[in-house]
């Protein structure tokens, strides 16, 4: 029996000693206790490591910044870096300590301020340049087909494919900017067709001019990019012989669309927002409505280096469908309305110099 009570007494005594040891390891976190523990002249950084070290406060003068929060911590979890330590200048120069460093002539920051690190885009969303560009040129082959419910513009179509010179230029911001939870790569493109002309069945010559400025807002994903595109388009047709069936017109279109880029492939679908049509002969009257749709497909090679110059070859096709409906001048026709549908098919090839913007 005596041995049993001795064992119980020993366990209780050991538990008391252990509890006392745990208690003596605890410390109320405040200025007085910390300065008793480390000394009033302590200057440096205080960390709490349980198990990972987190910044608690900084003392460069008489005050702790931010204020020490009164909470129970273990003495063994407290770690310090004194101002005399060689690593000290490096630690106070970065977050989260940097905002609490008191610079000469400046007051200490508010202790409630919690600095947040700026969000960084994922690696796949960043292109290997700040501003990337490509310029180039090539050839374009077009075909125009027209149908109409009147004789007006009935001769406005090409017998076959007609060539023109194509000039292109692209400029992309390689570092995306954040919008809500999305990262966006902006890009602007310029397309020019120069020297386009074709003859109709009655040997009337038409001259064609086209300028397009697409502005892309690409949303990067791991394997592809997609996003909206806004396009400004100006197009003009003039003829060597001006009549009801051979007449000149120009149109300005503002289009909205969606593009997808995947492994140097590009697919785009566009439709018109607003249009402005001007004709040499005003045989058509308001209201004039135009429904315009465009489909684009393009494939580019990777970068080809020759004599330290980066080349890239591209080829593709554009298809556009325009449906126009307007009232007719009563002095010209009693049909009442003019309905014209014209389609244009383009095949093109270009050689570019500069960055690879299509990967």
């Amino acid at each position: 029996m005596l041995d049993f009570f001795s064992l119980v007494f020993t366990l209780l005594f050991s538990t008391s000693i252990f509890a006392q040891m745990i208690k003596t390891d605890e410390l109320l976190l405040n200025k007085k206790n910390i300065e008793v523990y480390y000394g009033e002249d302590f200057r440096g950084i205080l960390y709490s490591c349980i198990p990972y070290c987190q910044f608690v406060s900084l003392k460069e003068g008489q005050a702790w910044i931010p204020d020490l929060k009164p909470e129970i911590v273990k003495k063994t979890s407290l770690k310090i870096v004194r101002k005399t330590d060689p690593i000290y200048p490096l630690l106070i120069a970065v977050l989260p300590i940097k905002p609490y460093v008191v610079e000469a002539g400046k007051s200490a920051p508010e202790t409630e301020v919690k600095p947040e690190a700026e969000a960084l885009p994922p690696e796949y969303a960043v292109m290997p340049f700040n501003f990337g560009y490509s310029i180039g040129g090539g050839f374009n082959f077009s075909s125009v087909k027209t149908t109409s419910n009147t004789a007006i513009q009935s001769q406005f179509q090409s017998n076959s494919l007609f060539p023109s010179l194509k000039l292109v230029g692209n400029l992309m911001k390689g570092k995306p900017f954040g919008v809500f939870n999305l990262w966006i790569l902006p890009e602007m493109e310029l397309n020019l067709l120069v020297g386009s002309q074709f003859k109709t069945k009655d040997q009337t010559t038409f001259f064609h001019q086209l300028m397009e400025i697409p502005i892309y807002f690409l949303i990067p994903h791991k394997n592809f990019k997609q996003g909206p595109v806004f396009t400004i388009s100006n197009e003009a047709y003039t003829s060597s012989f001006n009549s009801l069936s051979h007449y000149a017109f120009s149109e300005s279109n503002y289009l909205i669309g969606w593009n997808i880029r995947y492994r140097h492939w590009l697919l785009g679908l566009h439709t018109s927002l607003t249009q402005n049509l001007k004709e040499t002969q005003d045989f058509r009257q308001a209201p004039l409505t135009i429904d315009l749709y465009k489909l684009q497909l393009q494939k580019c090679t990777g970068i080809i280096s020759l004599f330290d110059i980066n080349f890239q070859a591209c080829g593709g096709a554009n298809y556009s469908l325009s449906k126009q409906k307007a009232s007719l001048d009563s002095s010209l026709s009693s049909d009442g309305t003019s309905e014209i549908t014209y389609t244009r098919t383009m095949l093109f090839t270009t050689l570019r110099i500069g960055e690879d913007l299509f990967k």
Side-chain angles (χ1 to χ4, degrees), residues 23 28 39 42 45 89 103 133 141 179 214 227 252 293 299 307:
K23 188 173 183 180
L28 177 62
F42 171 79
I45 309 169
E103 298 179 9
Y133 74 92
F141 300 90
V179 177
S252 298
Y293 306 95
K299 176 67 170 71
F307 303 114

Side-chain angles (χ1 to χ4, degrees), residues 159-230:
N159 290 325
S160 59
L161 291 173
F162 58 93
S164 57
L165 182 63
K166 181 179 177 69
L167 303 176
V168 295
N170 292 69
L171 179 65
M172 175 187 282
K173 180 74 170 66
K175 304 299 185 292
F177 61 87
V179 177
F180 300 108
N181 293 325
L182 299 175
W183 294 100
I184 296 179
L185 283 168
E187 179 184 349
M188 184 173 67
E189 182 176 334
L190 174 64
N191 292 316
L192 292 175
L193 291 186
V194 182
S196 299
Q197 68 179 52
F198 63 92
K199 288 187 177 182
T200 60
K201 292 181 179 180
D202 60 358
Q203 299 304 305
T204 300
T205 302
F206 275 86
F207 302 93
H208 174 226
Q209 293 179 341
L210 175 64
M211 180 186 71
E212 290 184 334
I213 304 178
I215 301 173
Y216 303 91
F217 300 94
L218 298 171
I219 303 171
H221 302 273
K222 287 186 177 181
N223 298 318
F224 69 99
K225 298 180 180 69
Q226 65 171 337
V229 55
F230 177 74

Side-chain angles (χ1 to χ4, degrees), residues 62 85 91 96 102 118 193 224 296 301 306 315 319 324 330:
Q62 299 299 318
D85 195 306
L91 294 175
V102 181
E118 183 180 356
L193 291 186
F224 69 99
Q296 179 184 11
T301 66
L306 183 63
Y319 176 82
Q324 304 177 5
S330 59

Side-chain angles (χ1 to χ4, degrees), residues 21-63:
M21 291 175 60
I22 294 176
K23 188 173 183 180
T24 56
D25 186 46
E26 292 180 346
L27 179 72
L28 177 62
L29 198 62
N30 58 34
K31 179 180 179 181
K32 179 181 179 181
N33 291 340
I34 291 297
E35 290 183 350
V36 168
Y37 195 60
Y38 293 111
E40 294 184 4
D41 296 332
F42 171 79
R43 301 292 185 269
I45 309 169
L46 180 64
Y47 292 93
S48 177
C49 303
I50 43 172
Y52 303 107
C53 292
Q54 294 182 334
F55 169 66
V56 176
S57 188
L58 170 73
K59 186 181 180 185
E60 291 189 307
Q62 299 299 318

Side-chain angles (χ1 to χ4, degrees), residues 271-292:
T271 186
S272 57
L273 289 173
T274 61
Q275 308 86 14
N276 183 22
L277 180 66
K278 294 182 180 180
E279 300 176 307
T280 302
Q281 297 186 19
D282 297 328
F283 65 88
R284 293 194 290 180
Q285 299 177 340
L288 172 66
T289 60
I290 301 177
D291 294 323
L292 178 61

Side-chain angles (χ1 to χ4, degrees), residues 78-324:
L78 296 177
K79 305 295 180 184
I80 60 171
V81 177
R82 296 186 182 274
K83 197 172 182 179
T84 55
D85 195 306
I87 200 174
Y88 179 87
L90 301 177
L91 294 175
I92 65 171
V94 296
L95 295 174
I97 304 175
K98 184 178 180 180
Y100 299 105
V101 178
V102 181
E103 298 179 9
K106 295 184 179 181
S107 59
E110 295 292 337
T111 57
E112 296 295 326
V113 176
K114 293 183 179 180
E116 295 183 359
E118 183 180 356
L120 297 176
E123 292 184 1
Y124 63 79
V126 181
M127 300 293 281
F129 48 75
N130 187 17
F131 283 94
Y133 74 92
S134 70
I135 56 175
F139 296 97
N140 190 91
F141 300 90
S142 306
S143 174
V144 177
K145 302 296 180 182
T146 306
T147 59
S148 176
N149 66 333
T150 66
I152 297 171
Q153 209 176 18
S154 59
Q155 299 299 321
F156 175 61
Q157 55 187 2
S158 60
N159 290 325
S160 59
L161 291 173
F162 58 93
S164 57
L165 182 63
K166 181 179 177 69
L167 303 176
V168 295
N170 292 69
L171 179 65
M172 175 187 282
K173 180 74 170 66
K175 304 299 185 292
F177 61 87
V179 177
F180 300 108
N181 293 325
L182 299 175
W183 294 100
I184 296 179
L185 283 168
E187 179 184 349
M188 184 173 67
E189 182 176 334
L190 174 64
N191 292 316
L192 292 175
L193 291 186
V194 182
S196 299
Q197 68 179 52
F198 63 92
K199 288 187 177 182
T200 60
K201 292 181 179 180
D202 60 358
Q203 299 304 305
T204 300
T205 302
F206 275 86
F207 302 93
H208 174 226
Q209 293 179 341
L210 175 64
M211 180 186 71
E212 290 184 334
I213 304 178
I215 301 173
Y216 303 91
F217 300 94
L218 298 171
I219 303 171
H221 302 273
K222 287 186 177 181
N223 298 318
F224 69 99
K225 298 180 180 69
Q226 65 171 337
V229 55
F230 177 74
T231 305
I232 303 172
S233 175
N234 289 289
E235 189 171 9
Y237 287 92
T238 56
S239 63
S240 57
F241 177 68
N242 207 9
S243 69
L244 290 181
S245 58
H246 309 85
Y247 77 106
F249 73 94
S250 62
E251 62 180 30
S252 298
N253 294 291
Y254 300 89
L255 302 100
I256 189 71
W258 196 268
N259 275 44
I260 300 176
R261 296 184 182 183
Y262 174 73
R263 294 184 179 180
H264 292 93
W265 285 93
L266 183 147
L267 177 65
L269 180 62
H270 314 264
T271 186
S272 57
L273 289 173
T274 61
Q275 308 86 14
N276 183 22
L277 180 66
K278 294 182 180 180
E279 300 176 307
T280 302
Q281 297 186 19
D282 297 328
F283 65 88
R284 293 194 290 180
Q285 299 177 340
L288 172 66
T289 60
I290 301 177
D291 294 323
L292 178 61
Y293 306 95
K294 290 187 177 183
L295 179 65
Q296 179 184 11
L297 180 64
Q298 179 178 274
K299 176 67 170 71
C300 294
T301 66
I303 289 294
I304 303 171
S305 295
L306 183 63
F307 303 114
D308 295 329
I309 300 177
N310 292 333
F311 294 90
Q312 191 173 28
C314 298
N318 288 323
Y319 176 82
S320 64
L321 170 65
S322 178
K323 294 184 177 181
Q324 304 177 5

